[in-house]
PDB file of all heavy atoms in Angstrom:
ATOM      1  N   MET A1735     -55.180   8.569  44.392  1.00 94.00           N
ATOM      2  CA  MET A1735     -55.267   9.951  43.912  1.00 94.00           C
ATOM      3  C   MET A1735     -54.108  10.835  44.352  1.00 94.00           C
ATOM      4  O   MET A1735     -53.637  11.664  43.560  1.00 94.00           O
ATOM      5  CB  MET A1735     -56.599  10.567  44.349  1.00 94.00           C
ATOM      6  CG  MET A1735     -57.816   9.901  43.713  1.00 94.00           C
ATOM      7  SD  MET A1735     -57.758   9.833  41.899  1.00 94.00           S
ATOM      8  CE  MET A1735     -57.943  11.580  41.524  1.00 94.00           C
ATOM      9  N   PRO A1736     -53.602  10.713  45.584  1.00 95.00           N
ATOM     10  CA  PRO A1736     -52.480  11.583  45.964  1.00 95.00           C
ATOM     11  C   PRO A1736     -51.248  11.404  45.084  1.00 95.00           C
ATOM     12  O   PRO A1736     -50.378  12.284  45.049  1.00 95.00           O
ATOM     13  CB  PRO A1736     -52.190  11.163  47.408  1.00 95.00           C
ATOM     14  CG  PRO A1736     -53.481  10.620  47.912  1.00 95.00           C
ATOM     15  CD  PRO A1736     -54.097   9.931  46.736  1.00 95.00           C
ATOM     16  N   ALA A1737     -51.172  10.276  44.373  1.00 96.00           N
ATOM     17  CA  ALA A1737     -49.992  10.021  43.537  1.00 96.00           C
ATOM     18  C   ALA A1737     -50.194  10.455  42.094  1.00 96.00           C
ATOM     19  O   ALA A1737     -49.239  10.453  41.308  1.00 96.00           O
ATOM     20  CB  ALA A1737     -49.647   8.522  43.574  1.00 96.00           C
ATOM     21  N   VAL A1738     -51.417  10.874  41.712  1.00 96.00           N
ATOM     22  CA  VAL A1738     -51.715  11.143  40.300  1.00 96.00           C
ATOM     23  C   VAL A1738     -50.841  12.250  39.719  1.00 96.00           C
ATOM     24  O   VAL A1738     -50.249  12.080  38.642  1.00 96.00           O
ATOM     25  CB  VAL A1738     -53.225  11.455  40.115  1.00 96.00           C
ATOM     26  CG1 VAL A1738     -53.495  11.993  38.705  1.00 96.00           C
ATOM     27  CG2 VAL A1738     -54.035  10.203  40.381  1.00 96.00           C
ATOM     28  N   PRO A1739     -50.753  13.440  40.328  1.00 96.00           N
ATOM     29  CA  PRO A1739     -49.932  14.495  39.715  1.00 96.00           C
ATOM     30  C   PRO A1739     -48.479  14.049  39.460  1.00 96.00           C
ATOM     31  O   PRO A1739     -47.920  14.332  38.396  1.00 96.00           O
ATOM     32  CB  PRO A1739     -49.983  15.629  40.748  1.00 96.00           C
ATOM     33  CG  PRO A1739     -51.265  15.395  41.498  1.00 96.00           C
ATOM     34  CD  PRO A1739     -51.395  13.907  41.581  1.00 96.00           C
ATOM     35  N   ALA A1740     -47.904  13.364  40.437  1.00 96.00           N
ATOM     36  CA  ALA A1740     -46.515  12.927  40.266  1.00 96.00           C
ATOM     37  C   ALA A1740     -46.398  11.885  39.159  1.00 96.00           C
ATOM     38  O   ALA A1740     -45.412  11.867  38.406  1.00 96.00           O
ATOM     39  CB  ALA A1740     -46.001  12.344  41.590  1.00 96.00           C
ATOM     40  N   LEU A1741     -47.384  11.011  39.035  1.00 97.00           N
ATOM     41  CA  LEU A1741     -47.347   9.977  37.984  1.00 97.00           C
ATOM     42  C   LEU A1741     -47.518  10.596  36.595  1.00 97.00           C
ATOM     43  O   LEU A1741     -46.854  10.186  35.633  1.00 97.00           O
ATOM     44  CB  LEU A1741     -48.426   8.931  38.242  1.00 97.00           C
ATOM     45  CG  LEU A1741     -48.153   7.950  39.385  1.00 97.00           C
ATOM     46  CD1 LEU A1741     -49.401   7.151  39.713  1.00 97.00           C
ATOM     47  CD2 LEU A1741     -47.005   7.018  39.025  1.00 97.00           C
ATOM     48  N   ILE A1742     -48.398  11.585  36.471  1.00 96.00           N
ATOM     49  CA  ILE A1742     -48.579  12.254  35.179  1.00 96.00           C
ATOM     50  C   ILE A1742     -47.298  12.968  34.778  1.00 96.00           C
ATOM     51  O   ILE A1742     -46.886  12.944  33.607  1.00 96.00           O
ATOM     52  CB  ILE A1742     -49.774  13.232  35.252  1.00 96.00           C
ATOM     53  CG1 ILE A1742     -51.086  12.436  35.330  1.00 96.00           C
ATOM     54  CG2 ILE A1742     -49.777  14.170  34.040  1.00 96.00           C
ATOM     55  CD1 ILE A1742     -52.321  13.293  35.504  1.00 96.00           C
ATOM     56  N   GLU A1743     -46.639  13.570  35.748  1.00 96.00           N
ATOM     57  CA  GLU A1743     -45.364  14.228  35.457  1.00 96.00           C
ATOM     58  C   GLU A1743     -44.318  13.202  35.032  1.00 96.00           C
ATOM     59  O   GLU A1743     -43.506  13.456  34.132  1.00 96.00           O
ATOM     60  CB  GLU A1743     -44.896  14.985  36.706  1.00 96.00           C
ATOM     61  CG  GLU A1743     -43.678  15.870  36.483  1.00 96.00           C
ATOM     62  CD  GLU A1743     -43.945  16.992  35.487  1.00 96.00           C
ATOM     63  OE1 GLU A1743     -45.111  17.434  35.360  1.00 96.00           O
ATOM     64  OE2 GLU A1743     -42.977  17.426  34.824  1.00 96.00           O
ATOM     65  N   ALA A1744     -44.357  12.021  35.654  1.00 96.00           N
ATOM     66  CA  ALA A1744     -43.383  10.967  35.336  1.00 96.00           C
ATOM     67  C   ALA A1744     -43.572  10.425  33.926  1.00 96.00           C
ATOM     68  O   ALA A1744     -42.639   9.865  33.341  1.00 96.00           O
ATOM     69  CB  ALA A1744     -43.486   9.827  36.350  1.00 96.00           C
ATOM     70  N   LEU A1745     -44.775  10.610  33.347  1.00 95.00           N
ATOM     71  CA  LEU A1745     -44.997  10.176  31.960  1.00 95.00           C
ATOM     72  C   LEU A1745     -44.107  10.938  30.981  1.00 95.00           C
ATOM     73  O   LEU A1745     -43.861  10.477  29.860  1.00 95.00           O
ATOM     74  CB  LEU A1745     -46.464  10.386  31.566  1.00 95.00           C
ATOM     75  CG  LEU A1745     -47.494   9.410  32.136  1.00 95.00           C
ATOM     76  CD1 LEU A1745     -48.898   9.840  31.734  1.00 95.00           C
ATOM     77  CD2 LEU A1745     -47.222   7.983  31.655  1.00 95.00           C
ATOM     78  N   LYS A1746     -43.627  12.096  31.396  1.00 94.00           N
ATOM     79  CA  LYS A1746     -42.779  12.920  30.519  1.00 94.00           C
ATOM     80  C   LYS A1746     -41.298  12.592  30.676  1.00 94.00           C
ATOM     81  O   LYS A1746     -40.460  13.121  29.940  1.00 94.00           O
ATOM     82  CB  LYS A1746     -43.001  14.402  30.838  1.00 94.00           C
ATOM     83  CG  LYS A1746     -44.459  14.840  30.724  1.00 94.00           C
ATOM     84  CD  LYS A1746     -44.646  16.254  31.263  1.00 94.00           C
ATOM     85  CE  LYS A1746     -46.121  16.654  31.288  1.00 94.00           C
ATOM     86  NZ  LYS A1746     -46.340  17.982  31.923  1.00 94.00           N
TER      87      LYS A1746
END
Side-chain angles (χ1 to χ4, degrees):
M1735 295 306 291
V1738 169
L1741 286 169
I1742 289 176
E1743 188 63 28
L1745 285 175
K1746 304 171 186 175

